[in-house]
Amino acid sequence: MTRFVLSVVPPLRFLLIGLLALTTFAQQPAGTGQLVQLPYVFPDESGSQWDVQFDGSIGDGGNDLYDGGGRLFINNMAQYQSPTQQAVLDPARHELNFPPMQLAGLNVSRRVAVLPSLSTVRFTEILENPTAAPIKAQLRCYFNMGQSLVNAVPLVDEKKTRSQPCGFALADPNNAVAMIACGRGAKLQPRFNYRMNDDNVDIFYDVEVPARQTVVIVHLQLRRRTADQAADDWKELRERDLLSDLPRELRKRVVNFPGGDPLVGDLEILRGDALDVVELRGGDAYRGTLKIDRFCLQTLYGPLILPANKVVAMLNVGTFKPSQLLVTNDGEIFGGRLDVDSLPLEMTGGQLTRIPLSQITRLGYRHRVGDVDEWNFENTPTAYLRSGERIRIDRPPGDFNLATPSGPVRLNPGVIASIVFQGEDNNVPEVHLVDGTRLSALLGASAFEMALPGLGGPQQPQRARFPAAALLRFNFAPEREPDFLTPTFTLANQDTLVGTIGGTLSLETPFDTIHVEGDQIKALAHTRAGGDHDVQVTLWDDSTLSGRLVESHLTCLLKCGVSLRVPIALIARYEQPLPLPSPPMVARIRHIAHQLDSDDWRVRDAAQTQILAIGPSVMSVLRQMQPTAPTEAAQRMELIVSRLSRQLERGAAAGAKGVGTVDFEGDAPVPPGAGIPVFR
């Protein structure tokens, strides 16, 4: 009998008391483990000797891979170490389970496992918050390589445009590893710090552990002969193979790998191997063949008919008047009441028996051809209900009417990534757009009618009418996380708008009224002692102007194509890393850029230096010119844009983290023009 795990949202848990219970991580044994002294050596199938030290790091790793790999620091100060100099060995998982240590208010423990067939070591960092308040912490995973680095290859998901690296494949003269720091599409992105010709590598994670909850971070070291080979092998790996043997209670709390498979919830569903199986309240299990061709389910969003060949499992939840949860082969979950009192089962001896529905705790169909073991809803329009259902939907054809702090807004579903009907911190719905905008809004409907493509087929799908009060969220499309080059408005209510200022602003200064084009504004914020319209404006050339805006609203041109009028008083700050220069400066930049193709290399170098001195505002102009520029001029433009982009990235990281921030690839700030290759 094979068991799978069903994902159920927290509001359903009161129905599940007595079925399952969560355990505390700090008290969890490592399977049938035994206490061992440290260091402890795990061999793998490629000949590596992973010598795990008392702090959970790897010592030599065999053949001078590390001089110490994987030391864990919290807030860049306290280092994790096993308080007992011992760990619990789980032989089945090739894993050491380290005891908890209190650091920065958290109970921190580690698991270090070796995946022998992959020549990979996996670190699992477990952060348990025992307090009544959330705790923010920075994790630093430090690796001291055997020799200085000579090659670095980013681990980038080529299927996703502008995706952040999941890690780096790093090599010294003798060894190479792919440092896998997160999963593809993970929302929690790590930061790397390394330098060529240096042997130190840091991976940083900034996390917040909610009150009385646990957060888990997983990172891996995949050893290969060269950096390119390590990067290529990473592309072929399935992430579920890297995490599949993690205990369920840990896996559902991993925050740096995206969810998606069924091993993340509190309910177990069962499947038969060769026969259907029905489990009764008294503990009996009946095996045979279920004789039912369809399930008629009355739900709070309407009556539905589920063909038996689409259902893989059913659970009864509740004690006195149980409801049924039906799980389909697509991973959908439907909840309601069946229209029958019993289910027919033909036993292996040929006898047909009818089992009362009230006596069943759960049932599972045998495995069928084409059944999958995990379900992914990442890019599928889906409705999630408070009672635990998860239902595939078609994107609605009509617009959504929203009441926002900026006024009424009509949004086409094509620009909406998700609608969260109840956030973690408040009860006001949030609308997340595909460009990264997050907007608080009240929806103007009490119910939403949706087509269900999973039932009835794409031509004649069944339909459901979801009450707004029953919905947890709608997911329509992937949501893009804004990067360091993205222009954003931060509003006083913590909303984030991704877009630019449109039109012309009139700023009354003490001596004149100055008209400013919105696309030339680098930053805008309220002055400390001023009123709702008193602001300081920073222009593209870093000029700062303070005064009172004549306008009462700003036009925000969102990247997804929507235009919003936002009250000045509601805007906390506006930042545009790449404002446009003024028209005279654009003409000057174009004139200088044409000299990048001069026959005289000294003219080319001088033009390059002049453009770099202007700063990041030249990037948008150069990108417009680059497609039609001569070859050498286009190459120089690309180098200039790349250098300025790295400077902006370092500045964004420094602004976000303040003192102690590390650079993305370990580069120190460079004066304009320094280090740019010269073509002669």
Side-chain angles (χ1 to χ4, degrees), residues 330-344:
D330 294 326
E332 295 180 274
I333 306 167
F334 297 90
R337 298 292 304 277
L338 291 176
D339 66 343
V340 296
D341 296 327
S342 61
L343 297 178

Side-chain angles (χ1 to χ4, degrees), residues 612 643 647 668-676:
L612 276 167
R643 172 53 58 87
Q647 289 181 2
V670 180
I676 297 290

Side-chain angles (χ1 to χ4, degrees), residues 318-488:
T319 302
F320 301 105
K321 194 175 182 180
S323 300
Q324 288 76 52
L325 289 179
L326 296 178
V327 185
T328 73
N329 51 14
D330 294 326
E332 295 180 274
I333 306 167
F334 297 90
R337 298 292 304 277
L338 291 176
D339 66 343
V340 296
D341 296 327
S342 61
L343 297 178
L345 177 76
E346 183 180 294
M347 303 183 68
T348 54
Q351 181 179 349
L352 183 68
T353 181
R354 300 191 67 88
I355 304 176
L357 195 62
S358 60
Q359 297 300 311
I360 298 174
T361 58
R362 54 185 181 169
L363 64 82
Y365 279 89
R366 69 194 72 182
H367 282 280
R368 306 159 180 152
V369 176
D371 283 356
V372 296
D373 291 342
E374 68 180 50
W375 304 298
N376 194 327
F377 288 76
E378 182 180 357
N379 297 317
T380 304
T382 308
Y384 295 86
L385 277 68
R386 299 176 190 271
S387 51
E389 288 97 319
R390 178 176 63 194
I391 303 169
R392 297 177 189 267
I393 57 176
D394 279 337
R395 195 189 302 270
D399 293 346
F400 284 94
N401 295 315
L402 310 178
T404 75
S406 302
V409 177
R410 290 176 64 90
L411 289 180
N412 186 289
V415 303
I416 298 177
S418 62
I419 300 176
V420 181
F421 286 86
Q422 181 175 350
E424 295 181 1
D425 300 326
N426 56 61
N427 294 326
V428 179
E430 277 190 1
V431 179
H432 299 181
L433 305 188
V434 292
D435 59 10
T437 293
R438 299 193 173 196
L439 191 64
S440 299
L442 298 176
L443 285 79
S446 60
F448 302 89
E449 186 167 339
M450 303 281 184
L452 310 182
L455 298 180
Q459 301 301 323
Q460 292 184 330
Q462 297 185 50
R463 304 188 69 84
R465 184 175 176 82
F466 297 104
L471 285 164
L472 195 65
R473 71 181 187 272
F474 284 136
N475 279 6
F476 294 126
E479 180 182 347
R480 180 178 176 179
E481 289 292 332
D483 60 23
F484 64 97
L485 295 178
T486 302
T488 57

Side-chain angles (χ1 to χ4, degrees), residues 504-527:
T504 304
L505 303 185
S506 299
L507 185 68
E508 294 179 338
T509 69
F511 52 85
D512 198 359
T513 298
I514 300 177
H515 302 288
V516 180
E517 296 299 325
D519 55 12
Q520 298 177 24
I521 295 177
K522 183 177 182 180
L524 182 148
H526 288 279
T527 57

Side-chain angles (χ1 to χ4, degrees), residues 75-76 138 191 204 206 650-651 653-663:
N75 295 338
N76 210 24
Q138 182 186 83
R191 292 182 293 112
F204 291 87
D206 297 300
R650 283 192 293 266
K657 300 307 301 174
V659 178
T661 298
V662 297
D663 298 319

Side-chain angles (χ1 to χ4, degrees), residues 480-502:
R480 180 178 176 179
E481 289 292 332
D483 60 23
F484 64 97
L485 295 178
T486 302
T488 57
F489 293 81
T490 302
L491 305 188
N493 64 346
Q494 303 305 313
D495 285 355
T496 299
L497 309 180
V498 175
T500 58
I501 296 176

